[in-house]
Amino acid sequence: MDIRENNSENNSLYRPEAVPENPEEIIPKEPKEWEDTGIPRDDLEDLVLRTICTVRGFTIEWVAKQVGLPLRIVNGLVERLQAVAAVEIVGQAGTLSFKMRVTDRGRKRGAEAMRSSGYLGPAPVTVEDYSRMLEAQLAKMPRIEPEEVSKAIDELVLPPNVVEVAGLARSSGRSLFLWGPPGNGKTSVGHLVHNAVKGDLWIPYCLGTGRDIIKLFDPQCHQVVEDGSNSNGLRFDRRWVKIRRPFVVVAGELRIEALDLAFHPVLRYYEAPMHLKANGGTFLIDDFGCQRADPLEILHRWVLPLERHVDYLTLQTGRQVPVPFKQMLILSTNLDPEEIMDAAFLRRMGYRLYLGYMSPDQYARIFKRYAAGLGLTVPEGMMEALFSRYSEEGRPLRGSEPRDLIERCRDICNYRDQAAHLSAEILDTAWRGYFGEKGVVR
């Protein structure tokens, strides 16, 4: 049993006094004794045994690197294994280092440990320590200024009120609901708003709760900043890794099961859900309402976490583990919110933002800006002819179409072995290839 097991009725993880006041504590400090890890010694010993059973021989230094623990702690754990004849010394590896191997008795015991959990890697961090560390780091993150949000989404041509609402959502960390017809920048806003965040984040490779392990670090979601060097001259706990604040995106592949722990029946450990991996950053659900899961089921799953900033994940035993829900949630959809949401959930969304079709002025600015970025000149009269064609065919002005049309113009020039340029004839071909219509833009 975890020597500091949390219970939901006496949860001190989220109290302000649990946040360290000393800035130095923002760096995870290296544990001096095994008790400092918060993980039972038997569990650490089993992790060491599983690790050394994967090789024919080992040194204490190698084991320490694999499990992310200081030499002092690993040496004590190996000495305990040596005392029960699970390992033995086979030679000298250096002045103060020995080569060791696992005995037959040790391999038998290692097989038993593997049946309990097949996890290999850095030792776990308790959920409590992770929660405290996350709270401490987020409290110290730099303030997000309005001009930084404007700069982050500057590549989009948006009205000032849209930029302001996006900035309010980002700076407050509250959720953001983006809706409107397709092709007008909802997904782009979700991506670019994240670029306004500053600061890096320390997260554990995995979490420990009782005797269960939850794998948290995911190279598909997390970009490593430092993976082994000292930070500011201080030794740090190598069970943690420094990452960029995460940006996690899911779309139509999202299932309701993905919002809880995923248990690996063979390896017998858990994979953290995507929203837990997004803690401290941004979690974007794109094309909301088009998921395999019922949208109302997804929303009901998050009603309380959005309000209390705590989620409860369920283990195979049925025990629920409270974890922090500390990311900016962004929902983006082409559907009418009232068709896929109930009033209770909409009330809990921090900000709502409608992104409609472009005005002629916005469209022209997007078109000319994108062309200029590619070194292309827009011929005189081209925009007026283009707007006339949109009007004749009854098409709305979508913010994504200037880029799409110009890129097809470049495809045409490349196909014809010509220097990239814009002309009425080339744009007409691009239009027909894009929309499947006939006619000439003059």
Side-chain angles (χ1 to χ4, degrees):
M1 181 132 181
D2 194 317
I3 61 174
R4 288 188 286 176
E5 184 175 359
N6 179 63
N7 66 74
S8 57
E9 295 180 354
N10 183 27
N11 187 357
S12 65
L13 307 185
Y14 311 100
R15 295 206 306 257
E17 58 264 34
V19 178
E21 294 182 359
N22 187 343
E24 289 186 356
E25 295 185 27
I26 297 301
I27 297 172
K29 289 189 175 180
E30 189 177 62
K32 295 181 179 178
E33 306 292 343
W34 71 264
E35 293 92 341
D36 298 332
T37 68
I39 303 298
R41 182 163 58 178
D42 287 347
D43 291 354
L44 295 176
E45 197 173 301
D46 282 351
L47 175 60
V48 168
L49 188 54
R50 291 196 299 272
T51 302
I52 60 180
C53 279
T54 63
V55 293
R56 296 181 64 181
F58 65 91
T59 63
I60 301 294
E61 292 80 6
W62 179 84
V63 179
K65 184 177 180 180
Q66 301 305 307
V67 300
L69 292 173
L71 286 171
R72 174 188 176 90
I73 295 177
V74 173
N75 191 61
L77 296 171
V78 172
E79 282 182 351
R80 282 170 55 88
L81 292 172
Q82 190 176 9
V84 296
V87 301
E88 61 185 7
I89 296 174
V90 294
Q92 198 88 16
T95 307
L96 298 173
S97 181
F98 297 96
K99 267 186 190 176
M100 307 186 78
R101 72 175 183 88
V102 184
T103 64
D104 290 342
R105 177 180 293 184
R107 292 198 178 277
K108 182 178 179 181
R109 182 174 162 183
E112 294 173 359
M114 191 67 76
R115 282 193 288 272
S116 297
S117 172
Y119 171 78
L120 296 170
V125 171
T126 65
V127 174
E128 295 85 349
D129 285 347
Y130 166 59
S131 300
R132 280 191 287 267
M133 183 67 170
L134 182 63
E135 290 275 4
Q137 292 179 96
L138 293 181
K140 299 284 186 180
M141 287 296 174
R143 168 185 163 86
I144 297 174
E145 302 294 341
E147 52 271 18
E148 291 169 334
V149 177
S150 298
K151 182 179 179 181
I153 60 178
D154 182 61
E155 68 181 68
L156 302 178
V157 177
L158 299 171
N161 66 301
V162 170
V163 176
E164 184 174 42
V165 172
L168 286 169
R170 179 68 272 177
S171 63
S172 67
R174 299 182 190 276
S175 53
L176 177 62
F177 182 72
L178 299 167
W179 66 288
N184 292 300
K186 297 184 300 298
T187 301
S188 296
V189 168
H191 280 259
L192 295 174
V193 159
H194 175 75
N195 293 342
V197 303
K198 295 182 290 186
D200 301 318
L201 201 65
W202 289 90
I203 66 167
Y205 285 97
C206 68
L207 303 173
T209 174
R211 301 207 69 178
D212 293 298
I213 291 178
I214 302 170
K215 191 175 177 184
L216 180 62
F217 174 73
D218 183 346
Q220 300 299 317
C221 301
H222 301 133
Q223 181 184 352
V224 175
V225 176
E226 295 177 342
D227 59 0
S229 59
N230 287 340
S231 180
N232 295 333
L234 298 176
R235 297 176 67 85
F236 65 90
D237 188 342
R238 294 176 187 270
R239 297 176 299 158
W240 298 73
V241 58
K242 192 176 184 181
I243 62 167
R244 303 292 181 198
R245 294 179 69 177
F247 179 62
V248 179
V249 183
V250 295
E253 74 278 5
L254 180 65
R255 298 172 180 262
I256 191 66
E257 296 83 3
L259 301 181
D260 213 323
L261 295 170
F263 183 68
H264 293 272
V266 176
L267 298 177
R268 303 194 65 77
Y269 64 81
Y270 296 87
E271 186 79 24
M274 291 301 225
H275 60 281
L276 185 59
K277 294 177 181 180
N279 264 342
T282 306
F283 185 45
L284 169 62
I285 302 184
D286 204 7
D287 292 327
F288 184 71
C290 299
Q291 282 69 34
R292 298 181 182 182
D294 184 329
L296 284 178
E297 195 175 7
I298 296 175
L299 298 180
H300 290 158
R301 168 72 177 78
W302 277 339
V303 166
L304 290 180
L306 276 173
E307 192 169 87
R308 301 179 181 177
H309 304 295
V310 180
D311 192 18
Y312 289 85
L313 303 178
T314 307
L315 300 171
Q316 289 277 298
T317 59
R319 182 166 71 91
Q320 290 195 315
V321 181
V323 295
F325 191 85
K326 292 284 186 177
Q327 73 291 111
M328 180 183 182
L329 175 65
I330 301 179
L331 302 182
S332 170
T333 183
N334 302 330
L335 306 177
D336 186 337
E338 298 195 3
E339 292 181 3
I340 59 173
M341 292 189 173
D342 56 24
F345 188 84
L346 279 173
R347 179 172 57 83
R348 289 174 170 86
M349 292 299 294
Y351 290 91
R352 286 174 254 176
L353 193 54
Y354 175 78
L355 294 178
Y357 296 118
M358 300 291 105
S359 67
D361 177 64
Q362 288 176 302
Y363 187 101
R365 287 168 59 196
I366 295 171
F367 194 100
K368 292 176 180 179
R369 177 187 289 186
Y370 194 82
L374 297 172
L376 302 177
T377 301
V378 179
E380 188 175 347
M382 176 171 281
M383 296 313 305
E384 290 75 10
L386 194 55
F387 292 144
S388 176
R389 186 162 189 176
Y390 268 100
S391 178
E392 289 171 5
E393 297 189 7
R395 298 186 184 279
L397 300 174
R398 300 181 190 273
S400 60
E401 289 172 0
R403 174 202 63 205
D404 294 343
L405 289 171
I406 291 173
E407 286 298 331
R408 278 152 184 79
C409 289
R410 295 177 72 202
D411 291 343
I412 294 164
C413 292
N414 183 58
Y415 181 72
R416 296 175 178 177
D417 197 23
Q418 299 174 350
H421 66 286
L422 298 176
S423 70
E425 184 271 330
I426 289 176
L427 187 55
D428 171 66
T429 304
W431 178 283
R432 288 186 284 111
Y434 186 66
F435 292 112
E437 299 289 342
K438 295 181 179 180
V440 178
V441 179
R442 300 190 185 280

